[in-house]
Amino acid sequence: MEYTVGSIAPIFLSPVIAFVINAFFGRKLPRQGDWLATLSIFVSFIFSARIFGDFVFGQFATDYYIHKVFTWFDLSYGTQIYKIDMGIYIDNMAAIMLVMVSGVATLIHLFSTWYMDHDEKHGRFFVFLPLFTSAMLGLVLSDNLFSLFIFWEIMGFCSYSLIGIYNKKEKAGDASLKAFMTTRVGDVFLLLGIVALWTTLGSVNYVDIYAAIAEGKFLGQTVLGISFATFTALCIFLGAMGKSAQFPLQVWLPDAMMGPTPGSALIHAATMVTAGVWVSLRMYPLMVLGDITWFIAVIGAITAFGAATIAVVQTDIKAVLAYSTLSQLGYMIMGVGVGSYNAAFMHVITHAMFKACLFLSAGSIIHSVHEQEMPKLGGLRKFLPYTHFAMMCCTLAIAGIPFFSGFVSKDRILGDALYYGFMAGQNPLLAIVPILGFAGAGLTAFYMFRMMFMTFYGENRTHHDDHGHGHGHHDAKGHEAHGHDIHHEHLDVRQNVPLLILSVFTLGFWFCGTLTGQSFGKVFGAKTEWFKVLVEAPRVERFVNHPRQEFSKVDTKEAAHLEHAHYHHQTGYAGPNPDEHKLHSAHTIGAIASIIIAFAGVFLAFLMYIKGSVKPWASKFPGLTKVLQNKYYFDDFYIEVLIKKGLLGLNRGLAWFDMGIYDRFAVDGWAAVNRVLFKSAKWFDNVVVDAIGVDGTGVAVNLFNLVLRIVQSGKIQFYFIMLIMVLASYIWTVNI
């Protein structure tokens, strides 16, 4: 395959074209252009799959890359060089990410054509959905932080538009604004980090940053009393915290479910929130150099555990899934922090599969029964068998049950965290990272099976009478739903097939080549650990004198002469100086512990919600339950304290200063000064300039002219008289 503009650009441009057409002509198209949006993403998937095949199936070496650039603008003059290049950078990680984003987005678009049927926002929804996906694809393709930031902001705009698409609902508008403003906090720091890198290195290309690290250009430079590497790494990670909703900027993501459920699936699975993890992985060498990996690990662990505790008390099925996303994002960030680079990225991919399926399954339930409060559901497995099957597969995956993908990716993170916290010789206080990680894993298994048991098992509680009339429930779009029977689900291409396809990829062997995630039970023979082999932390020394290629040219590297990938054993751990024996022990202990913890969580949920032999703890711990239901009061703190008393108080103080001091003295006071100056200037102009300077000059000239006319009369008698008078005065003066 020749990698030129024709084989790469359609990945990004295809959904952009669909966005433009639907934005201007969507209302005139059949089905308001939903088929065009879906087709455009499928085109992106086809082109992404070709690249994925070349990278993954051994045609290219593990360190092969595609790096093409073009000049965006050139303002250079003479010896002053001011040139900005844009480009694409595709390596193994990008190839995997592209096929995941485009593949999952295609299935979400297909499901959306069913879910959004007859919805008043149908056309508007399919305007923003392809743009959202294209922004994420552009972000993955970017070879520098500046273009990444452009697509980063486009996704922020799209999330704002999709979350608040039901603009007649006040809560939807509040949620969209909350998401937009909260993520902006992180974006300010991300932009600051990009500017700092640009002013120091003259470039924000990934490869240039890697090369600068290898050449020691960060050494000896400080900003605000800390090292330059620490400052820039911290700024970039703070941007990732906002986008990936990490503590304490996690408050926006649960409210993002106010939009249509497929939109939530896209935000929570394939776009938006994974962007923060992506930039953390891309900038991992800078995070290590800046020595902030411990901070990243702690933030991820707090987010993973804290979100899991809140999910335990949620009754809205979408709220449970929203907090589970928060928790799983915490595990990804924790993986970056503890050096579990490979497993962190694997969890991005596996989570995208089962979380997209979970949200779409929730959409199938809501669309079918017009209810999303779990206490009002129950017994749905006999009515919605395909949805039940898909959701059960995904629940087994996210709970970390063996044979499923979550067990492979998340539990590898936990194994590395166990090594990092207890065996790597780190600060003993960092033991909190694996402790919170394993505790969160147990809670995940509990609250996910709590959701399954309350939704699909037991007695049906949807309260439909014998005539099939409901009692005024409201669906996810805020519309009151009357008179709906629960119809038995039939296999539908648009409703069920996307769920079933995604559920297939919840099996772990697709990612690790074995049934168990360990070294036995191989499925793919020699290529058993393709994900581990192909994804590794960037080795910065490789990028010194890194060659670039013009976007219009074909690759100079010949694939036929490239070294094929070697499928050898490796841990995938990217931390400093790993002890292989201790690392292996940590993974063995971690795997056993996580299995026990996961099954304990499932069993506890079974006892509570199926057998009823253990009563829910809400009544026993009302104080704790209230704290969890109020989300640890973060919203109250931000709104009532930080915003109303802090920022609004500051705003009132500034307003008082503006009107009471600045306006009164600087503006109104200056007016009084201006009046005095005006009167003084007027007097000076009238008296000094006009009366004396201008008019006085004329009077003086006239007077002098009169004297001269008298003196210079031309009469000789007058001259003799004047001469005699002068001589007489002189004689008189001398005599005196």
Side-chain angles (χ1 to χ4, degrees):
M1 178 178 177
E2 295 181 348
Y3 291 101
T4 61
V5 63
S7 58
I8 297 174
I11 296 174
F12 166 70
L13 290 180
S14 177
V16 171
I17 293 171
F19 157 72
V20 173
I21 294 174
N22 280 350
F24 288 97
F25 310 107
R27 293 185 179 182
K28 299 179 181 179
L29 295 176
R31 295 186 55 82
Q32 300 185 63
D34 61 355
W35 57 272
L36 178 62
T38 306
L39 180 62
S40 70
I41 304 300
F42 184 67
V43 170
S44 297
F45 173 71
I46 294 299
F47 280 88
S48 299
R50 293 180 67 187
I51 297 175
F52 176 80
D54 283 342
F55 276 90
V56 174
F57 294 112
Q59 182 178 352
F60 294 155
T62 56
D63 59 354
Y64 183 78
Y65 58 86
I66 303 167
H67 189 195
K68 293 178 175 291
V69 298
F70 63 91
T71 300
W72 191 31
F73 63 83
D74 189 351
L75 301 179
S76 302
Y77 180 77
T79 59
Q80 299 296 320
I81 306 299
Y82 194 81
K83 180 181 177 183
I84 303 295
D85 289 336
M86 288 290 185
I88 58 108
Y89 182 81
I90 305 176
D91 57 3
N92 292 322
M93 197 165 78
I96 297 169
M97 192 73 171
L98 286 173
V99 78
M100 181 278 286
V101 172
S102 58
V104 170
T106 299
L107 296 174
I108 291 174
H109 277 67
L110 180 60
F111 180 88
S112 300
T113 61
W114 170 80
Y115 186 87
M116 297 299 292
D117 262 347
H118 310 299
D119 191 285
E120 62 177 354
K121 299 295 184 180
H122 183 277
R124 184 179 178 87
F125 184 76
F126 281 98
V127 169
F128 291 111
L129 212 60
L131 179 63
F132 202 178
T133 307
S134 69
M136 186 64 191
L137 292 170
L139 183 143
V140 174
L141 288 169
S142 295
D143 75 330
N144 66 87
L145 289 173
F146 183 65
S147 58
L148 175 142
F149 186 75
I150 293 173
F151 295 120
W152 184 281
E153 292 303 307
I154 293 173
M155 280 197 292
F157 164 73
C158 291
S159 67
Y160 169 81
S161 302
L162 288 171
I163 295 169
I165 198 168
Y166 298 119
N167 47 22
K168 295 179 181 179
K169 296 169 61 178
E170 185 178 356
K171 288 185 178 180
D174 292 344
S176 63
L177 188 61
K178 184 178 182 180
F180 190 79
M181 297 307 297
T182 306
T183 54
R184 294 289 77 69
V185 174
D187 293 355
V188 170
F189 289 99
L190 175 61
L191 183 59
L192 181 62
I194 293 172
V195 172
L197 288 168
W198 170 262
T199 54
T200 302
L201 304 180
S203 172
V204 288
N205 278 286
Y206 301 143
V207 296
D208 292 333
I209 295 172
Y210 298 156
I213 293 172
E215 294 169 348
K217 293 183 179 179
F218 285 85
L219 300 179
Q221 300 193 52
T222 60
V223 178
L224 301 175
I226 61 175
S227 74
F228 180 70
T230 302
F231 175 78
T232 51
L234 192 58
C235 285
I236 291 172
F237 179 65
L238 287 172
M241 285 172 59
K243 211 66 162 183
S244 291
Q246 296 297 289
F247 168 85
L249 300 177
Q250 80 284 358
V251 294
W252 70 269
L253 187 57
D255 290 346
M257 65 180 183
M258 292 302 299
T261 306
S264 300
L266 198 60
I267 292 172
H268 287 250
T271 60
M272 191 73 173
V273 295
T274 58
V277 183
W278 175 261
V279 75
S280 299
L281 291 168
R282 279 299 193 206
M283 289 293 102
Y284 180 74
L286 183 60
M287 309 290 178
V288 173
L289 183 66
D291 193 26
I292 67 166
T293 52
W294 66 270
F295 175 71
I296 296 173
V298 171
I299 290 294
I302 292 173
T303 305
F305 176 75
T309 59
I310 299 175
V312 168
V313 300
Q314 298 301 310
T315 57
D316 185 319
I317 190 170
K318 287 182 67 176
V320 174
L321 297 180
Y323 281 103
S324 77
T325 299
L326 265 179
S327 184
Q328 299 309 305
L329 287 169
Y331 282 108
M332 298 172 205
I333 293 295
M334 184 176 75
V336 175
V338 302
S340 191
Y341 188 93
N342 182 278
F345 181 61
M346 184 189 289
H347 200 52
V348 171
I349 306 302
T350 58
H351 174 264
M353 301 294 180
F354 57 68
K355 184 50 59 70
C357 186
L358 284 168
F359 264 104
L360 296 186
S361 299
S364 178
I365 294 169
I366 296 167
H367 198 283
S368 299
V369 304
H370 302 277
E371 182 59 72
Q372 60 194 74
E373 284 291 328
M374 296 186 299
K376 297 180 181 180
L377 300 175
L380 294 182
R381 72 184 187 279
K382 57 185 177 181
F383 299 103
L384 305 173
Y386 299 109
T387 300
H388 168 255
F389 171 80
M391 209 164 193
M392 178 59 78
C393 290
C394 298
T395 300
L396 291 167
I398 195 174
I401 302 301
F403 306 116
F404 290 88
S405 58
F407 173 76
V408 178
S409 58
K410 184 175 67 176
D411 291 349
R412 286 183 178 181
I413 294 174
L414 291 174
D416 287 333
L418 189 64
Y419 171 78
Y420 179 85
F422 288 101
M423 305 178 186
Q426 303 281 349
N427 188 324
L429 294 177
L430 292 178
I432 193 66
V433 173
I435 291 172
L436 292 179
F438 280 100
L443 290 174
T444 300
F446 172 76
Y447 70 70
M448 287 304 298
F449 272 90
R450 168 181 176 265
M451 178 193 73
M452 288 298 298
F453 294 149
M454 291 181 70
T455 303
F456 290 101
Y457 294 84
E459 181 184 356
N460 183 262
R461 301 178 295 276
T462 51
H463 304 301
H464 286 69
D465 59 32
D466 295 336
H467 301 286
H469 297 291
H471 294 279
H473 301 305
H474 292 263
D475 63 18
K477 302 162 190 168
H479 305 142
E480 193 169 359
H482 297 282
H484 288 277
D485 281 322
I486 305 179
H487 299 289
H488 285 273
E489 186 178 39
H490 300 287
L491 187 62
D492 182 271
V493 172
R494 296 186 297 160
Q495 178 188 1
N496 307 119
V497 169
L499 275 61
L500 296 176
I501 292 174
L502 289 168
S503 65
V504 168
F505 290 98
T506 60
L507 295 174
F509 70 81
W510 294 110
F511 305 94
C512 67
T514 66
L515 293 174
T516 60
Q518 304 301 318
S519 58
F520 53 90
K522 295 181 180 179
V523 176
F524 295 136
K527 296 183 178 182
T528 179
E529 283 286 3
W530 68 271
F531 205 105
K532 271 190 180 180
V533 172
L534 295 179
V535 177
E536 61 181 5
R539 290 174 288 167
V540 295
E541 63 275 4
R542 288 172 41 203
F543 296 94
V544 178
N545 299 320
H546 177 83
R548 291 166 172 78
Q549 189 175 43
E550 291 184 14
F551 205 91
S552 58
K553 293 183 178 179
V554 180
D555 289 306
T556 55
K557 301 175 184 178
E558 296 183 18
H561 295 96
L562 288 172
E563 182 182 9
H564 284 222
H566 295 291
Y567 290 86
H568 56 81
H569 171 73
Q570 62 159 309
T571 63
Y573 181 73
N577 304 318
D579 185 314
E580 294 291 338
H581 177 70
K582 289 183 178 179
L583 195 58
H584 179 72
S585 299
H587 277 268
T588 302
I589 296 171
I592 295 172
S594 62
I595 292 173
I596 295 172
I597 290 172
F599 277 106
V602 176
F603 184 63
L604 181 59
F606 174 78
L607 293 178
M608 280 191 181
Y609 298 100
I610 298 296
K611 297 292 289 183
S613 55
V614 177
K615 299 298 181 183
W617 296 327
S619 58
K620 295 182 180 179
F621 304 99
L624 177 59
T625 302
K626 185 178 180 181
V627 169
L628 296 178
Q629 289 174 339
N630 285 280
K631 312 165 192 176
Y632 291 105
Y633 297 100
F634 270 95
D635 285 334
D636 297 298
F637 172 74
Y638 286 147
I639 295 172
E640 300 298 330
V641 179
L642 185 61
I643 295 177
K644 290 185 177 180
K645 294 183 180 179
L647 296 179
L648 290 181
L650 177 62
N651 180 66
R652 286 190 291 269
L654 293 175
W656 172 84
F657 177 82
D658 180 53
M659 293 183 289
I661 304 296
Y662 185 79
D663 283 355
R664 184 178 179 183
F665 295 102
V667 178
D668 298 339
W670 188 249
V673 173
N674 281 337
R675 284 192 293 270
V676 173
L677 292 175
F678 168 74
K679 291 179 180 179
S680 301
K682 183 179 180 181
W683 176 87
F684 183 84
D685 182 61
N686 292 335
V687 176
V688 178
V689 177
D690 287 349
I692 299 176
V694 178
D695 297 339
T697 301
V699 171
V701 170
N702 287 333
L703 180 61
F704 187 67
N705 178 54
L706 178 61
V707 173
L708 286 178
R709 281 188 296 167
I710 295 172
V711 174
Q712 298 292 335
S713 62
K715 297 178 179 180
I716 191 66
Q717 299 91 338
F718 179 77
Y719 296 154
F720 276 116
I721 292 171
M722 293 300 297
L723 179 60
I724 291 170
M725 290 178 67
V726 170
L727 288 174
S729 64
Y730 176 72
I731 293 170
W732 181 74
T733 304
V734 171
N735 291 333
I736 291 174

